[in-house]
Amino acid sequence: MSENIRASLTVLFSEEEINIRITELAEQISNDYKEKKNLVLICVLKGGVFFTIDLSRKLNVECEIEFVELSSYGENFESAKEIIVNKDLICSIENKNIIIIEDIVDTGRTLNYLKNDLKINKKPLSVKTCVMLDKPSRRELDFEADYVGFTIEDKFIIGYGLDYKNKFRNIKYIGYMKKLINT
Ligand code: IMP
Ligand code: MG
């Protein structure tokens, strides 16, 4: 990471805080799904990948892991306007219990689109959503995630899957940029 990026970053949640919170979420989900069968985690690429992997390894219930890749037309660092499916599900989720795993819910458009699409077109038994971060002040439609790691203010976040111009996803902590920098 270049010096000017590092200098503009403030840590919001450390690696340890993320780990503790994921352990709590995993306990909650394991408890909620202990009587249920056929749990499928659907990771929203690319941002949800670290969260999905870390969360899944802490679950005490059996699950499958599948992937979809979504982006939004005209996406820069601003959020989704029109959702584009880059990679669709390649398996059937009929009669399965789905948890969609995503890095962040911002305007709510991405998760709202995916949740409705799965429900309408793929006949799952249930669909819930789980996000590491929630920025409720940015919401453009009525959408609430079922499991939320941290609720945050309107800041531009990078790290732990979240990118700026497709970089910095692999930063281990969750940070925000005090100002946006040309990379
Ligand atoms: P939504 O559809 O507006 O809820 O936005 C979801 C997507 O916007 C996320 O999956 C991210 O790709 C992107 N996004 C929203 N806020 C941030 C942020 O603070 N940093 C990086 N990406 C973000
Ligand atoms: Mg994303």
Side-chain angles (χ1 to χ4, degrees):
M1 199 187 337
S2 69
E3 281 311 308
N4 61 349
I5 296 280
R6 195 184 296 275
S8 80
L9 265 183
T10 303
V11 179
L12 203 51
F13 302 107
S14 67
E15 210 182 331
E16 196 191 350
E17 287 171 304
I18 294 168
N19 191 35
I20 290 169
R21 187 66 190 115
I22 293 177
T23 304
E24 291 169 352
L25 284 173
E27 277 173 18
Q28 196 186 343
I29 292 171
S30 298
N31 196 42
D32 291 352
Y33 285 81
K34 65 174 183 277
E35 308 293 339
K36 294 182 180 153
K37 289 200 167 82
N38 299 325
L39 174 61
V40 183
L41 308 181
I42 298 185
C43 169
V44 183
L45 295 170
K46 304 178 184 114
V49 71
F50 299 95
F51 184 32
T52 304
I53 301 301
D54 290 346
L55 180 74
S56 67
R57 287 188 294 191
K58 289 177 189 274
L59 291 179
N60 291 320
V61 286
E62 286 179 3
C63 66
E64 295 171 44
I65 304 177
E66 296 292 340
F67 299 89
V68 293
E69 186 177 341
L70 301 177
S71 61
S72 41
Y73 178 72
E75 188 176 26
N76 187 357
F77 53 84
E78 281 297 326
S79 256
K81 291 282 181 244
E82 188 186 325
I83 311 301
I84 298 167
V85 180
N86 297 324
K87 179 188 184 304
D88 207 348
L89 272 185
I90 52 167
C91 64
S92 164
I93 55 164
E94 198 168 329
N95 289 324
K96 297 194 173 175
N97 291 301
I98 307 304
I99 305 179
I100 301 170
I101 317 264
E102 170 65 309
D103 52 2
I104 190 166
V105 54
D106 190 37
T107 65
R109 287 177 191 275
T110 305
L111 282 178
N112 189 60
Y113 168 87
L114 181 60
K115 189 174 180 178
N116 287 336
D117 180 58
L118 297 185
K119 275 181 156 178
I120 293 165
N121 298 317
K122 315 258 181 188
K123 302 191 181 77
L125 203 57
S126 67
V127 183
K128 288 195 176 185
T129 55
C130 175
V131 296
M132 191 67 221
L133 299 173
D134 184 4
K135 274 199 252 181
S137 62
R138 294 255 310 160
R139 208 70 96 249
E140 288 177 11
L141 38 79
D142 189 16
F143 181 88
E144 255 186 77
D146 300 286
Y147 302 98
V148 173
F150 302 106
T151 300
I152 59 167
E153 291 172 11
D154 183 12
K155 295 197 183 317
F156 191 78
I157 304 295
I158 61 169
Y160 202 68
L162 290 132
D163 70 303
Y164 173 56
K165 295 187 177 175
N166 247 327
K167 290 180 183 159
F168 316 118
R169 296 188 196 274
N170 56 331
I171 294 172
K172 290 181 180 175
Y173 56 86
I174 291 171
Y176 67 89
M177 296 177 98
K178 280 175 265 186
K179 59 180 165 71
L180 295 173
I181 287 167
N182 287 325
T183 54

